[in-house]
Amino acid sequence: MGVLKGVVLFFSDVVKQITIPCQLDFMWISSYSGTNSSEMCVRRDVSEDLKGRHVVILEDIFDTGNSLNFTYNHLLSKEPASLKICTLLD
């Protein structure tokens, strides 16, 4: 699961190395207009049901952690079997 839009190049490099069957998807989150960045909303959600599936979140930069925390909890509510995070830069 890639978090748009910054993850695109990192996502591309990572998926080239995957040798097992998998599905690729993206979601897009942003802060509400005119408010502080800790108030997040989903602009594009995942297109597949994640219940019982193993999911890896790919993110380009881990900065304050607000957006990644929001994304993690949002995807966790979809009841995946496991949920891991992979970031390019911390």
Side-chain angles (χ1 to χ4, degrees):
M1 177 67 49
V3 181
L4 293 173
K5 296 184 182 177
V7 78
V8 173
L9 295 176
F10 176 53
F11 188 93
S12 173
D13 288 342
V14 170
V15 298
K16 288 176 189 174
Q17 302 304 313
I18 296 175
T19 58
I20 60 173
C22 67
Q23 287 185 311
L24 311 176
D25 205 348
F26 290 95
M27 65 181 297
W28 179 18
I29 61 166
S30 66
S31 60
Y32 288 110
S33 296
T35 63
N36 74 43
S37 63
S38 66
E39 297 182 52
M40 307 301 293
C41 68
V42 177
R43 306 237 345 183
R44 182 202 183 278
D45 208 346
V46 296
S47 57
E48 298 291 327
D49 182 14
L50 302 182
K51 187 171 185 171
R53 301 178 76 178
H54 299 285
V55 178
V56 177
I57 301 170
L58 293 178
E59 177 70 278
D60 58 339
I61 300 172
F62 178 82
D63 188 9
T64 64
N66 291 336
S67 62
L68 192 53
N69 185 55
F70 176 85
T71 302
Y72 185 87
N73 288 320
H74 176 75
L75 295 177
L76 195 59
S77 74
K78 297 179 181 294
E79 302 178 16
S82 65
L83 185 58
K84 303 293 183 185
I85 298 169
C86 177
T87 63
L88 175 63
L89 300 171
D90 182 354

